[in-house]
Amino acid sequence: MAVNIETNIFIADHSIGFFQYLPKATYQSKFGTIPINKGIIENGYIIDPEGLLFELKNLLVTYKIKTKRVRMVIHDQNILIRQIEISKKDLGDQKIDDYIKNEKGKSIQFPFENAAVTHMVREETDTVIKVIAIIADEDLLQDYHDVFDRIGAKQVRYDLSSSALYHTYLKNKREDFPDGMFVSLYEGFLSIQIIENKMPIFSMTEEYSIQQNDVYDLVENFIERIANYYRFNMRNNTKSIKRVVIYDFADSLDRDRLQSEIAQELKDFKVEIFNATEHNPVLKDMPKLSLIAFASGMSQQFAP
């Protein structure tokens, strides 16, 4: 296999999922998931780099993968997405990313000591620039980069799960989705992103205990809470969430209960529990975490 093929990877606290897309032999594309020992990764952070290195080498050997290019999907817990309005007078001669970094502890609260910042401009006038800021933990990215270097990767890139899942949804459904909410359910936590004008503008995560009997109620309540926050706090009652797409990446959750106790209960929204295999039968045997890596790989090939 050519080593210049990109390998897409998603690393959770308990397992690693990957997808390697072969454009000239799509049905031979490789995917899989391997479990990793407890304590190697916690909340997306590398606790035991030697342990992670061992597990990644094991994955490469098990699936006979050779790669010099890696694209890692950053864990939702380690990303902050916010819409920021910047006065051009305050910005002065600063670069926008530098301005956002300098606002740490002032107008923006970062959950990271060292922030890696990128942005997308949404709107600009003579006096104001409105941007979508995407903020990650720079130390975390460097820690992963160091491990990937040691498996021979010459190029390491990072992807957002919200962007990957959004573009994959558009490709599979073949319908417009300019605004709405994406909810991803993982083992032990949920993630919510708001899409507006085809761009992610807000993200949040919330942990839960897998043993909780009220997980389904918790998910329903958070969807309603964040939808109300968007409507009244972010948009002053001028816009509201109408569509909600739920991705189920947690083996412990029951899809029928997701439908009956969440989708059918949220009567103010059009709710869909997305089933990738329904739109692409090739994915029927793909593990759930590999679907995230698959979304990243496909979003790069077919992004609109």
Side-chain angles (χ1 to χ4, degrees), residues 21-26:
Y21 176 65
L22 303 179
K24 294 183 179 179
T26 302

Side-chain angles (χ1 to χ4, degrees), residues 86-114:
I86 304 172
S87 164
K88 287 189 173 180
K89 181 179 179 180
D90 294 338
L91 180 63
D93 296 329
Q94 297 180 82
K95 294 181 179 179
I96 291 176
D97 289 349
D98 291 336
Y99 172 87
I100 293 171
K101 287 183 180 180
N102 292 333
E103 285 299 297
K104 177 184 176 182
K106 301 174 186 176
S107 62
I108 310 172
Q109 299 301 319
F110 290 0
F112 321 118
E113 184 65 28
N114 297 309

